[in-house]
Amino acid sequence: GQQLNQSPQSMFIQEGEDVSMNCTSSSIFNTWLWYKQEPGEGPVLLIALYKAGELTSNGRLTAQFGITRKDSFLNISASIPSDVGIYFCAGRDTGTASKLTFGTGTRLQVTL
Amino acid sequence: DAGVTQSPTHLIKTRGQQVTLRCSPKSGHDTVSWYQQALGQGPQFIFQYYEEEERQRGNFPDRFSGHQFPNYSSELNVNALLLGDSALYLCASSSVGQGQVTQYFGPGTRLLVL
């Protein structure tokens, strides 16, 4: 099945550093969601974006809905050890009720 | 407020067997979606249930079927299991009143097919 392209695939950063990741699609979405998944758990919703150009924050996390509606970005500021996990983007396209198409994931490792 | 719950947490089956996985949605939600997550990949949409009917389906064979009950809980059934069906099966719930957009996931059922 289709998966969105996320980059980078993995990141190893030091505590306190900022993190940027992005997600691109060949098709337009009308909603973008960012999830975090830890080992043995289901994805946890971090941020939801509903409008092209929208910039939304949730604590140290900031996400943006790309103007073209084909991409989205997630930034994490001042990373801490509990930020470790896999971050997935998900898009909901215009032609379906609520099916989500997920990205390939960005694995984040934080070192002290 | 209980979140999405799934049972069992782990399951081991052999090829050719059948399996049933269960999901209870978050309180106040009426829509259940099922996803399959293979190791190292993002979740893939299987199907969605609303008002006890399958509303949308991904690219999965008919061996995958489901059901939604009047209390909004749901089951995923997989027949004639293949080795490739080994994966984490995730249930997500949402609400029509919220446009079914924001989906909340359960912890998943990890299925191993031997």
Side-chain angles (χ1 to χ4, degrees):
Chain A
Q2 178 194 6
Q3 286 202 316
L4 309 178
N5 294 317
Q6 274 187 254
S7 64
Q9 189 174 7
S10 62
M11 304 181 72
F12 290 82
I13 63 169
Q14 286 194 323
E15 183 177 8
E17 288 185 356
D18 295 343
V19 172
S20 292
M21 61 188 76
N22 66 71
C23 186
T24 59
S25 169
S26 57
S27 53
I28 289 173
F29 287 107
N30 63 6
T31 304
W32 282 94
L33 304 165
W34 283 92
Y35 289 87
K36 177 188 176 187
Q37 187 174 29
E38 298 184 39
E41 307 278 337
V44 174
L45 181 65
L46 300 174
I47 292 180
L49 302 158
Y50 302 104
K51 199 164 54 173
E54 179 181 352
L55 188 70
T56 297
S57 293
N58 177 9
R60 294 179 295 106
L61 277 61
T62 301
Q64 184 163 23
F65 191 142
I67 291 293
T68 65
R69 296 166 67 191
K70 292 184 177 181
D71 55 9
S72 181
F73 309 89
L74 177 68
N75 296 311
I76 305 173
S77 62
S79 59
I80 59 178
S82 63
D83 290 334
V84 166
I86 303 176
Y87 291 79
F88 288 101
C89 63
R92 191 189 78 148
D93 62 45
T94 57
T96 58
S98 64
K99 166 191 171 184
L100 296 181
T101 301
F102 279 81
T104 49
T106 293
R107 181 181 297 273
L108 179 64
Q109 297 275 21
V110 180
T111 58
L112 299 175
Chain B
D1 179 22
V4 180
T5 59
Q6 292 187 244
S7 64
T9 56
H10 294 82
L11 207 49
I12 299 175
K13 292 286 187 179
T14 56
R15 280 180 298 174
Q17 284 190 313
Q18 177 263 344
V19 69
T20 298
L21 311 181
R22 296 175 177 82
C23 171
S24 291
K26 184 178 166 65
S27 178
H29 285 184
D30 52 19
T31 302
V32 173
S33 302
W34 288 92
Y35 292 80
Q36 180 195 65
Q37 186 176 23
L39 203 60
Q41 297 187 20
Q44 295 277 340
F45 176 76
I46 302 175
F47 44 52
Q48 180 188 84
Y49 276 83
Y50 170 64
E51 290 187 326
E52 302 179 47
E53 289 187 10
E54 182 181 298
R55 297 292 177 166
Q56 195 177 7
R57 189 178 185 92
N59 295 325
F60 280 81
D62 292 345
R63 298 186 298 110
F64 290 77
S65 63
H67 188 77
Q68 185 179 35
F69 299 94
N71 66 352
Y72 308 121
S73 67
S74 177
E75 287 181 350
L76 164 66
N77 300 294
V78 186
N79 294 322
L81 284 167
L82 304 174
L83 296 180
D85 294 332
S86 296
L88 180 68
Y89 287 85
L90 296 163
C91 166
S93 75
S94 55
S95 168
V96 166
Q98 297 170 8
Q100 296 176 333
V101 174
T102 306
Q103 296 187 15
Y104 295 87
F105 284 82
T109 293
R110 186 161 296 282
L111 173 65
L112 177 62
V113 182
L114 300 176

